[in-house]
Amino acid sequence: LAALRAPQVVSQGDPVKVLGQGQGFSIAVEATAMGAALEGQNVRVRTESGRVLTGVARSGRVVEVTF
């Protein structure tokens, strides 16, 4: 059964890359994960400026955010 679970791709405290897309723009910033997440789960991150964002965890310590 454990083999059917998505792998954990982000752990609390991990440095992550936040990739964001919106209408006509995209961003990439460094942040810190505020919790653990499996592939495809929502996770909160805190940017270097202190802003808290929620995005979808992806492999390679990437978090996707849509604006």
Side-chain angles (χ1 to χ4, degrees):
L1 191 62
L4 299 177
R5 285 184 48 189
Q8 182 172 316
V9 293
V10 175
S11 297
Q12 183 174 355
D14 277 354
V16 296
K17 179 176 282 192
V18 178
L19 301 178
Q21 292 190 354
Q23 188 77 16
F25 73 94
S26 64
I27 62 162
V29 297
E30 300 296 320
T32 302
M34 297 176 66
L38 303 177
E39 173 93 31
Q41 283 187 321
N42 283 347
V43 63
R44 290 173 18 133
V45 299
R46 183 180 311 276
T47 65
E48 292 177 348
S49 66
R51 185 170 183 188
V52 175
L53 303 171
T54 300
V56 178
R58 300 293 182 207
S59 63
R61 293 187 177 162
V62 171
V63 176
E64 293 179 346
V65 178
T66 302
F67 295 98

